Amino acid sequence: MDGMVMEEEDDCPELVPIDTPPGPPAEQIPVTIITGYLGAGKTTLLNYILTEQHKKRIAVILNEFGEGSALEKSLAVSQAGELYEEWLELRNGCLCCSVKDNGLKAIENLMEKKGKFDYILLETTGLADPGIVTVIDAKYGLQQLTEEKADGLVNEAARQIAVADLTIINKTDLVNEEELAQIREAVRSVNGLVKILESQRSRVDLSEVLDLHSFDSKDGANLAEKLQLVKDTRPHLDKSILTVTFEVAGDLSEDALNVFIQDLLWEKMFKNKEGQPMTVIRSKGIVSFAGKAHQVMLQGVHELYDLNETPQLWEENPRINRLVFIGRNLDKNILQEQFISTVLEQAERK
Ligand SMILES: Nc1nc2c(ncn2[C@@H]2O[C@H](COP(=O)(O)OP(=O)(O)OP(=O)(O)O)[C@@H](O)[C@H]2O)c(=O)[nH]1
Ligand SMILES: [Zn+2]
């Protein structure tokens, strides 16, 4: 990703042009965001990472006001003045700080202060950003997912699962096999693509958490394999969030694809059969552009998206575009028909 934008709930974020500084590109450091409902085990996971020997240099940022309202947050910030508190160096190569509010600013300060890290971990909510881990409470997760929200609002727990690259169902000690199977099924029904781990005290294989590479175009081959396994999901608990996926053979027009994605993500132009606008929370895909030998990867979180060429050469013939959208009011057939009629190169359309 070449830009990050803060976002409040479902408001459309302001898109800000990114000025690229002169000189060689700065080395990119993977950022993993740990999110999840109140008390699910995010801090437990961060503490586990801070104490476990992993031989990686990691910066951890704890957001004290992660779940508060924007108003509460700004009050807290203006009262405290300082953006972040003290830095704590830990023996296993971790550096830890406590953020008052703006996570992105903290990352910038961190880069200036300490230079190079292998990873940055951030506990927060509401950021549109690479590499998202969602911790779910095995005991209360189902209840949180079924909570009815006022008209038009997406259930927060469902939204956190929809955006995740990895979910950790934590506190498995508190449930029996049957309850565990129920929450697993509920998570899968929201997000047909996400990896699901189970844990007690958030103790998971850290290589799974630290090496997500979800927005890394080097990982194109891996995503292409994953996309082939994705299945459509049926709305289950939160009545509207679900995953749709489709495959279309042929080459795409790059311009037409941008128009399609922007109509979908920004203009909310597509409606389902009931006339409700489709809202996409997460998009992923591997697509083929005419004349390009390499696969191109689509990654999107809410209204932000990127199209990046991957090192992966096309081997299939014909080339198969694979797309996955997670969101609400999605109608697979309408999306797929629109895609075929507007994005596929003329010669392919029949
Ligand atoms: N029984 C049980 N309790 C757990 C487990 N993991 C964490 N807890 C407890 O759950 C509580 C909340 O854990 P935290 O790690 O603070 O959760 P959090 O997501 O950071 O919470 P907030 O920051 O308040 O949203 C603590 O009392 C933990 O000790 C687990 O696997 N089993
Ligand atoms: Zn916490």
Side-chain angles (χ1 to χ4, degrees):
M1 284 284 278
D2 51 8
M4 300 196 270
V5 175
M6 297 285 295
E7 190 187 6
E8 285 298 333
E9 287 300 309
D10 285 338
D11 293 344
C12 197
E14 265 179 58
L15 293 172
V16 185
I18 312 287
D19 295 325
T20 316
E27 195 170 336
Q28 294 207 337
I29 299 169
V31 177
T32 300
I33 288 174
I34 298 172
T35 185
Y37 221 73
L38 271 170
K42 302 179 289 290
T43 307
T44 307
L45 176 61
L46 283 172
N47 286 337
Y48 175 58
I49 294 168
L50 288 171
T51 51
E52 188 68 3
Q53 291 305 316
H54 42 61
K55 303 213 171 64
K56 304 210 187 308
R57 280 174 55 79
I58 296 176
V60 175
I61 301 171
L62 297 168
N63 189 343
E64 289 181 10
F65 302 98
E67 311 279 355
S69 71
L71 184 64
E72 273 170 49
K73 283 190 217 175
S74 62
L75 280 177
V77 172
S78 53
Q79 272 168 14
E82 283 275 82
L83 195 60
Y84 61 90
E85 291 179 336
E86 75 262 44
W87 299 92
L88 206 73
E89 296 222 39
L90 298 150
R91 250 174 283 134
N92 61 349
C94 293
L95 184 80
C96 185
C97 88
S98 166
V99 185
K100 279 289 175 228
D101 189 27
N102 189 332
L104 298 181
K105 187 68 191 151
I107 292 173
E108 281 171 19
N109 292 344
L110 190 61
M111 306 283 266
E112 267 171 32
K113 197 168 173 121
K114 280 288 164 185
K116 187 165 172 291
F117 291 94
D118 298 325
Y119 295 94
I120 293 176
L121 299 178
L122 177 62
E123 181 199 345
T124 187
T125 53
L127 274 170
D129 216 279
I132 298 167
V133 177
T134 298
V135 186
I136 301 155
D137 190 315
K139 188 170 171 66
Y140 295 108
L142 212 55
Q143 185 186 322
Q144 289 153 2
L145 271 168
T146 35
E147 259 162 33
E148 288 283 341
K149 293 284 152 173
D151 257 6
L153 281 181
V154 181
N155 174 301
E156 177 64 17
R159 195 171 73 96
Q160 289 170 344
I161 292 169
V163 298
D165 299 288
L166 171 71
T167 52
I168 301 171
I169 300 177
N170 187 41
K171 309 193 189 180
T172 56
D173 55 309
L174 300 180
V175 292
N176 61 32
E177 257 312 312
E178 194 185 328
E179 291 167 304
L180 189 58
Q182 278 178 351
I183 181 77
R184 213 186 285 128
E185 191 200 330
V187 171
R188 180 57 74 213
S189 83
V190 169
N191 189 331
L193 186 61
V194 76
K195 182 161 195 168
I196 303 174
L197 300 179
E198 286 157 19
S199 71
Q200 292 184 12
R201 304 268 150 208
S202 302
R203 293 179 159 266
V204 289
D205 179 353
L206 286 183
S207 62
E208 306 259 22
V209 177
L210 299 175
D211 296 301
L212 291 174
H213 296 290
S214 65
F215 287 81
D216 188 345
S217 55
K218 285 188 209 79
D219 207 33
N222 185 359
L223 179 62
E225 276 165 31
K226 269 166 72 184
L227 293 188
Q228 292 187 40
L229 303 174
V230 178
K231 305 240 167 18
D232 295 328
T233 66
R234 286 167 183 289
H236 182 68
L237 294 161
D238 178 88
K239 288 172 198 66
S240 48
I241 293 194
L242 51 84
T243 301
V244 297
T245 176
F246 56 84
E247 296 183 351
V248 173
D251 285 334
L252 309 182
S253 146
E254 186 165 357
D255 289 345
L257 180 62
N258 276 294
V259 171
F260 173 85
I261 294 171
Q262 290 165 19
D263 284 348
L264 177 63
L265 302 189
W266 301 0
E267 309 298 333
K268 310 246 182 330
M269 262 173 53
F270 303 135
K271 302 209 164 54
N272 67 9
K273 287 193 193 78
E274 286 76 46
Q276 296 154 314
M278 301 191 203
T279 308
V280 175
I281 294 171
R282 191 74 146 126
S283 12
K284 294 197 186 211
I286 293 286
V287 295
S288 164
F289 290 139
K292 279 206 173 143
H294 291 262
Q295 298 184 346
V296 172
M297 180 162 85
L298 163 70
Q299 284 281 6
V301 176
H302 291 276
E303 286 88 351
L304 299 181
Y305 75 95
D306 261 348
L307 288 164
N308 284 313
E309 205 166 315
T310 75
Q312 187 68 29
L313 287 165
W314 280 103
E315 279 155 11
E316 322 167 67
N317 190 10
R319 298 173 175 187
I320 314 279
N321 302 276
R322 293 191 169 86
L323 290 115
V324 177
F325 297 103
I326 302 171
R328 56 184 168 150
N329 303 329
L330 301 184
D331 184 306
K332 172 186 170 140
N333 294 333
I334 292 174
L335 272 181
Q336 185 172 1
E337 276 162 28
Q338 183 71 20
F339 185 88
I340 290 171
S341 66
T342 62
V343 184
L344 210 56
E345 288 272 308
Q346 289 295 339
E348 319 274 351
R349 268 176 239 162
K350 298 263 152 63

